[in-house]
């Protein structure tokens, strides 16, 4: 599945603007003009996931979170500004 606000590769989430928008509020961010996901109706419910809270939430951790790397809880995610979706032929 790929859009500008969500991408997965091999079943692993790579970009999720809904998750990132929540984490920017809970983890913090140096960004001062990020307006969030390009699609307000794109939420964790659409992906059938538990609500996003923080990357290290035990019930719904971020795919990159690793308890052995505490700094991974400070990462909010990747933001795609412009891109193309390539399909394998």
């Amino acid at each position: 599945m790929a859009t500008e606000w969500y991408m997965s590769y091999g079943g692993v989430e790579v970009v999720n603007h809904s998750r990132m928008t929540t984490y920017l509020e809970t983890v913090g961010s140096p960004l001062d003009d990020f307006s969030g996901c390009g699609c307000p109706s794109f939420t964790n419910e659409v992906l059938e996931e538990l609500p996003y809270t923080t990357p290290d939430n035990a019930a719904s951790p971020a795919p990159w979170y690793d308890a052995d790397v505490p700094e991974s809880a400070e990462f909010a995610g990747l933001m795609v500004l412009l891109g193309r979706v390539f399909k394998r032929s």
Side-chain angles (χ1 to χ4, degrees), residues 1-86:
M1 175 180 193
T3 68
E4 67 183 46
W5 55 84
Y6 182 87
M7 286 184 252
S8 66
Y9 181 77
V12 177
E13 175 186 305
V14 178
V15 174
N16 180 337
H17 282 201
S18 178
R19 180 188 299 275
M20 186 183 68
T21 298
T22 299
Y23 291 171
L24 288 175
E25 294 172 4
T26 60
V27 173
S29 169
L31 299 175
D32 59 4
D33 63 350
F34 178 68
S35 61
C37 171
C39 180
S41 63
F42 180 71
T43 65
N44 59 293
E45 290 92 2
V46 171
L47 297 171
E48 298 179 354
E49 295 183 354
L50 293 173
Y52 308 130
T53 57
T54 59
D56 59 351
N57 180 292
S60 180
W64 59 84
Y65 175 69
D66 184 340
D68 293 330
V69 183
E71 297 84 2
S72 65
E74 299 172 13
F75 182 69
L78 297 175
M79 177 176 23
V80 175
L81 299 175
L82 180 64
R84 291 184 180 184
V85 175
F86 296 97

